[in-house]
PDB file of all heavy atoms in Angstrom:
ATOM      1  N   PHE C 233      52.039  47.282  64.452  1.00  0.00           N
ATOM      2  CA  PHE C 233      51.616  48.214  65.500  1.00  0.00           C
ATOM      3  C   PHE C 233      50.119  48.171  65.803  1.00  0.00           C
ATOM      4  O   PHE C 233      49.720  47.905  66.933  1.00  0.00           O
ATOM      5  CB  PHE C 233      52.037  49.636  65.128  1.00  0.00           C
ATOM      6  CG  PHE C 233      53.517  49.764  64.893  1.00  0.00           C
ATOM      7  CD1 PHE C 233      54.029  49.959  63.629  1.00  0.00           C
ATOM      8  CD2 PHE C 233      54.403  49.638  65.963  1.00  0.00           C
ATOM      9  CE1 PHE C 233      55.398  50.061  63.426  1.00  0.00           C
ATOM     10  CE2 PHE C 233      55.774  49.728  65.769  1.00  0.00           C
ATOM     11  CZ  PHE C 233      56.268  49.943  64.491  1.00  0.00           C
ATOM     12  N   TRP C 237      48.070  46.118  68.912  1.00  0.00           N
ATOM     13  CA  TRP C 237      47.553  47.107  69.860  1.00  0.00           C
ATOM     14  C   TRP C 237      46.054  46.911  70.058  1.00  0.00           C
ATOM     15  O   TRP C 237      45.537  46.943  71.166  1.00  0.00           O
ATOM     16  CB  TRP C 237      47.896  48.475  69.295  1.00  0.00           C
ATOM     17  CG  TRP C 237      47.402  49.689  69.994  1.00  0.00           C
ATOM     18  CD1 TRP C 237      47.741  50.123  71.236  1.00  0.00           C
ATOM     19  CD2 TRP C 237      46.513  50.667  69.452  1.00  0.00           C
ATOM     20  NE1 TRP C 237      47.123  51.314  71.507  1.00  0.00           N
ATOM     21  CE2 TRP C 237      46.362  51.670  70.421  1.00  0.00           C
ATOM     22  CE3 TRP C 237      45.837  50.794  68.239  1.00  0.00           C
ATOM     23  CZ2 TRP C 237      45.553  52.788  70.215  1.00  0.00           C
ATOM     24  CZ3 TRP C 237      45.048  51.906  68.022  1.00  0.00           C
ATOM     25  CH2 TRP C 237      44.907  52.884  69.016  1.00  0.00           C
ATOM     26  N   THR C 242      50.049  44.709  72.663  1.00  0.00           N
ATOM     27  CA  THR C 242      50.945  45.801  73.040  1.00  0.00           C
ATOM     28  C   THR C 242      50.089  46.889  73.671  1.00  0.00           C
ATOM     29  O   THR C 242      48.958  47.130  73.232  1.00  0.00           O
ATOM     30  CB  THR C 242      51.668  46.373  71.814  1.00  0.00           C
ATOM     31  OG1 THR C 242      50.695  46.645  70.805  1.00  0.00           O
ATOM     32  CG2 THR C 242      52.696  45.409  71.265  1.00  0.00           C
ATOM     33  N   GLY C 243      50.619  47.533  74.680  1.00  0.00           N
ATOM     34  CA  GLY C 243      49.809  48.479  75.421  1.00  0.00           C
ATOM     35  C   GLY C 243      49.772  49.853  74.806  1.00  0.00           C
ATOM     36  O   GLY C 243      48.922  50.668  75.143  1.00  0.00           O
ATOM     37  N   SER C 244      50.687  50.128  73.871  1.00  0.00           N
ATOM     38  CA  SER C 244      50.826  51.494  73.415  1.00  0.00           C
ATOM     39  C   SER C 244      51.405  51.521  72.007  1.00  0.00           C
ATOM     40  O   SER C 244      51.901  50.518  71.499  1.00  0.00           O
ATOM     41  CB  SER C 244      51.768  52.236  74.379  1.00  0.00           C
ATOM     42  OG  SER C 244      52.167  53.457  73.822  1.00  0.00           O
ATOM     43  N   LEU C 245      51.310  52.651  71.344  1.00  0.00           N
ATOM     44  CA  LEU C 245      52.011  52.824  70.073  1.00  0.00           C
ATOM     45  C   LEU C 245      52.333  54.290  69.851  1.00  0.00           C
ATOM     46  O   LEU C 245      51.933  55.145  70.623  1.00  0.00           O
ATOM     47  CB  LEU C 245      51.222  52.234  68.897  1.00  0.00           C
ATOM     48  CG  LEU C 245      49.736  52.543  68.729  1.00  0.00           C
ATOM     49  CD1 LEU C 245      49.508  54.011  68.531  1.00  0.00           C
ATOM     50  CD2 LEU C 245      49.171  51.758  67.577  1.00  0.00           C
ATOM     51  N   ASN C 246      53.076  54.535  68.755  1.00  0.00           N
ATOM     52  CA  ASN C 246      53.502  55.891  68.444  1.00  0.00           C
ATOM     53  C   ASN C 246      52.602  56.445  67.331  1.00  0.00           C
ATOM     54  O   ASN C 246      52.745  56.047  66.185  1.00  0.00           O
ATOM     55  CB  ASN C 246      54.974  55.844  67.997  1.00  0.00           C
ATOM     56  CG  ASN C 246      55.530  57.214  67.681  1.00  0.00           C
ATOM     57  OD1 ASN C 246      54.790  58.162  67.454  1.00  0.00           O
ATOM     58  ND2 ASN C 246      56.848  57.319  67.657  1.00  0.00           N
ATOM     59  N   PHE C 579      57.132  52.087  70.070  1.00  0.00           N
ATOM     60  CA  PHE C 579      55.800  51.837  70.603  1.00  0.00           C
ATOM     61  C   PHE C 579      55.262  53.023  71.379  1.00  0.00           C
ATOM     62  O   PHE C 579      54.308  52.908  72.134  1.00  0.00           O
ATOM     63  CB  PHE C 579      55.774  50.547  71.428  1.00  0.00           C
ATOM     64  CG  PHE C 579      55.948  49.344  70.554  1.00  0.00           C
ATOM     65  CD1 PHE C 579      57.199  48.810  70.319  1.00  0.00           C
ATOM     66  CD2 PHE C 579      54.851  48.796  69.911  1.00  0.00           C
ATOM     67  CE1 PHE C 579      57.358  47.729  69.470  1.00  0.00           C
ATOM     68  CE2 PHE C 579      55.002  47.713  69.059  1.00  0.00           C
ATOM     69  CZ  PHE C 579      56.261  47.175  68.842  1.00  0.00           C
ATOM     70  N   GLY C 580      55.926  54.160  71.196  1.00  0.00           N
ATOM     71  CA  GLY C 580      55.310  55.400  71.594  1.00  0.00           C
ATOM     72  C   GLY C 580      55.352  55.744  73.053  1.00  0.00           C
ATOM     73  O   GLY C 580      55.675  54.922  73.904  1.00  0.00           O
ATOM     74  N   PRO C 581      55.020  56.995  73.311  1.00  0.00           N
ATOM     75  CA  PRO C 581      55.024  57.487  74.680  1.00  0.00           C
ATOM     76  C   PRO C 581      53.716  57.142  75.388  1.00  0.00           C
ATOM     77  O   PRO C 581      52.928  58.020  75.702  1.00  0.00           O
ATOM     78  CB  PRO C 581      55.196  58.990  74.488  1.00  0.00           C
ATOM     79  CG  PRO C 581      54.622  59.277  73.134  1.00  0.00           C
ATOM     80  CD  PRO C 581      54.693  58.029  72.330  1.00  0.00           C
ATOM     81  N   ASP C 582      53.474  55.851  75.559  1.00  0.00           N
ATOM     82  CA  ASP C 582      52.348  55.401  76.363  1.00  0.00           C
ATOM     83  C   ASP C 582      51.002  55.914  75.856  1.00  0.00           C
ATOM     84  O   ASP C 582      50.292  56.632  76.553  1.00  0.00           O
ATOM     85  CB  ASP C 582      52.549  55.849  77.834  1.00  0.00           C
ATOM     86  CG  ASP C 582      51.623  55.052  78.751  1.00  0.00           C
ATOM     87  OD1 ASP C 582      51.236  53.941  78.341  1.00  0.00           O
ATOM     88  OD2 ASP C 582      51.299  55.563  79.837  1.00  0.00           O
ATOM     89  N   ILE C 583      50.689  55.577  74.616  1.00  0.00           N
ATOM     90  CA  ILE C 583      49.400  55.973  74.056  1.00  0.00           C
ATOM     91  C   ILE C 583      48.434  54.808  74.183  1.00  0.00           C
ATOM     92  O   ILE C 583      48.624  53.760  73.575  1.00  0.00           O
ATOM     93  CB  ILE C 583      49.534  56.356  72.568  1.00  0.00           C
ATOM     94  CG1 ILE C 583      50.479  57.535  72.404  1.00  0.00           C
ATOM     95  CG2 ILE C 583      48.178  56.662  71.962  1.00  0.00           C
ATOM     96  CD1 ILE C 583      49.980  58.805  73.014  1.00  0.00           C
ATOM     97  N   GLY C 584      47.416  54.985  74.997  1.00  0.00           N
ATOM     98  CA  GLY C 584      46.454  53.924  75.222  1.00  0.00           C
ATOM     99  C   GLY C 584      45.466  53.842  74.069  1.00  0.00           C
ATOM    100  O   GLY C 584      45.366  54.745  73.262  1.00  0.00           O
TER     101      GLY C 584
END
Side-chain angles (χ1 to χ4, degrees):
Chain C
F233 303 109
W237 175 65
T242 50
S244 167
L245 48 62
N246 181 341
F579 291 92
D582 197 24
I583 299 294

